[in-house]
């Protein structure tokens, strides 16, 4: 990547593996990062790491509350740790973790913030492993959302989603090349002090790090 590019982008940053990797990979283009507090079980733990990495890189960090989602939306992620199913992302029971249209809402807000700050792109770290369960992570949705944003803004704001067609394992390989310590990220859907080791994100995290040949320093409870 050209390290002399202008800072023209906003990133949606959760504090998990994928968005943290994207933050480091595109840090020369990122003017500000947005973390959304939408009332999910893991939000507080994720936010700690989102702040940490933005501070480390000198990137402005915004925390935006979306408490209406917790009040009005239905998802296991908005209920309790006991409501979180265990298993792989491609298991039908993982549909309980879908937060309806979450990425659409976050991209729309990111678009407004980008245009308000004379920026051109909104970065998001969806990847191919998300496609089976999460409709708002699929290529068709990302392309349609980008087109809508371009049509709905004076400056033609677009979505940049470079991980859409690659796996979490490949993202982990990107992170290894960037020197990221993944123990300084948080993935667990149950939101505990340590990763549970059994929910969909923990299972996927473990597999990705193992397949990428990265020593997993994450502390798991199982």
């Amino acid at each position: 990547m050209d390290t002399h590019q202008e800072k023209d982008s906003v990133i949606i940053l959760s504090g998990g593996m994928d968005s943290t990797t994207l933050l480091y990979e595109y840090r020369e283009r990122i003017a500000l990062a947005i973390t959304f507090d939408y009332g999910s079980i893991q939000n507080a733990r994720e936010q700690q790491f989102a702040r940490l990495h933005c501070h480390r890189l000198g990137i402005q960090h915004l925390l935006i509350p979306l408490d209406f989602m917790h009040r009005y939306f239905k998802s296991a992620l908005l209920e309790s740790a006991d409501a979180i199913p265990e298993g792989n992302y491609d298991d039908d029971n993982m549909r309980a973790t879908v937060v309806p249209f979450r990425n659409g809402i976050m991209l729309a807000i990111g678009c407004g913030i980008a245009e308000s700050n004379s920026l051109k792109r909104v970065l998001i770290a969806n990847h191919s492993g998300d496609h089976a369960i999460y409709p708002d992570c699929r290529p068709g949705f990302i392309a349609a959302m980008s087109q809508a944003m371009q049509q709905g803004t004076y400056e033609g704001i677009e979505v940049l989603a470079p991980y859409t067609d690659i796996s979490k394992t490949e993202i982990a390989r990107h992170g290894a090349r960037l020197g990221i310590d993944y123990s300084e990220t948080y993935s667990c859907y149950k939101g505990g002090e340590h990763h549970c080791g059994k929910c969909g994100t923990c299972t996927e995290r473990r597999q990705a790090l193992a397949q990428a040949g990265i020593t997993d320093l994450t502390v798991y409870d199982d």
Side-chain angles (χ1 to χ4, degrees):
M1 184 182 69
D2 182 358
T3 58
H4 299 290
Q5 296 190 56
E6 65 173 316
K7 290 187 178 292
D8 62 357
S9 303
V10 170
I11 185 173
I12 296 173
L13 178 68
S14 71
M17 281 182 62
D18 310 323
S19 63
T20 299
T21 305
L22 189 64
L23 178 75
Y24 276 82
E25 190 161 6
Y26 282 81
R27 61 189 180 275
E28 299 298 333
R29 295 183 64 165
I30 295 170
L32 58 90
I34 307 170
T35 299
F36 293 100
D37 187 347
Y38 57 98
S40 73
I41 302 164
Q42 77 274 22
N43 264 171
R45 294 287 284 125
E46 290 176 330
Q47 289 164 21
Q48 295 172 7
F49 291 112
R51 286 193 296 269
L52 168 71
H53 292 292
C54 287
H55 177 74
R56 186 174 291 167
L57 295 175
I59 292 173
Q60 182 183 359
H61 180 237
L62 304 179
L63 178 62
I64 296 180
L66 299 177
D67 56 306
F68 69 89
M69 294 175 72
H70 184 263
R71 294 203 307 271
Y72 301 118
F73 288 21
K74 183 174 177 58
S75 169
L77 285 190
L78 305 176
E79 296 176 16
S80 68
D82 291 339
I84 301 298
E86 297 177 355
N88 297 311
Y89 261 164
D90 54 358
D91 295 341
D92 283 344
N93 66 344
M94 290 305 294
R95 290 194 179 188
T97 65
V98 173
V99 179
F101 208 64
R102 175 181 58 182
N103 282 349
I105 294 166
M106 293 179 179
L107 285 168
I109 294 170
C111 176
I113 289 176
E115 187 158 48
S116 296
N117 287 274
S118 301
L119 303 172
K120 299 177 182 178
R121 295 176 180 84
V122 181
L123 277 67
I124 189 169
N126 59 299
H127 62 84
S128 64
D130 296 329
H131 298 172
I133 297 298
Y134 302 107
D136 58 358
C137 289
R138 296 170 185 164
F141 172 79
I142 295 297
M145 196 69 187
S146 184
Q147 184 178 27
M149 286 163 51
Q150 290 174 62
Q151 292 293 321
T153 55
Y154 286 113
E155 297 300 323
I157 311 298
E158 62 181 352
V159 178
L160 182 60
Y163 298 161
T164 299
D165 296 319
I166 68 173
S167 68
K168 197 178 191 79
T169 298
E170 186 55 38
I171 292 172
R173 293 191 181 110
H174 284 225
R177 291 192 290 269
L178 292 163
I180 296 173
D181 177 358
Y182 281 122
S183 70
E184 296 182 331
T185 63
Y186 191 83
S187 303
C188 182
Y189 275 167
K190 297 198 175 185
E193 180 181 355
H194 301 143
H195 287 70
C196 76
K198 296 178 180 179
C199 71
T201 50
C202 281
T203 300
E204 188 189 41
R205 177 190 182 97
R206 284 179 140 170
Q207 291 173 347
L209 291 171
Q211 291 169 2
I214 298 170
T215 300
D216 190 354
L217 300 177
T218 306
V219 177
Y220 297 99
D221 280 333
D222 65 343

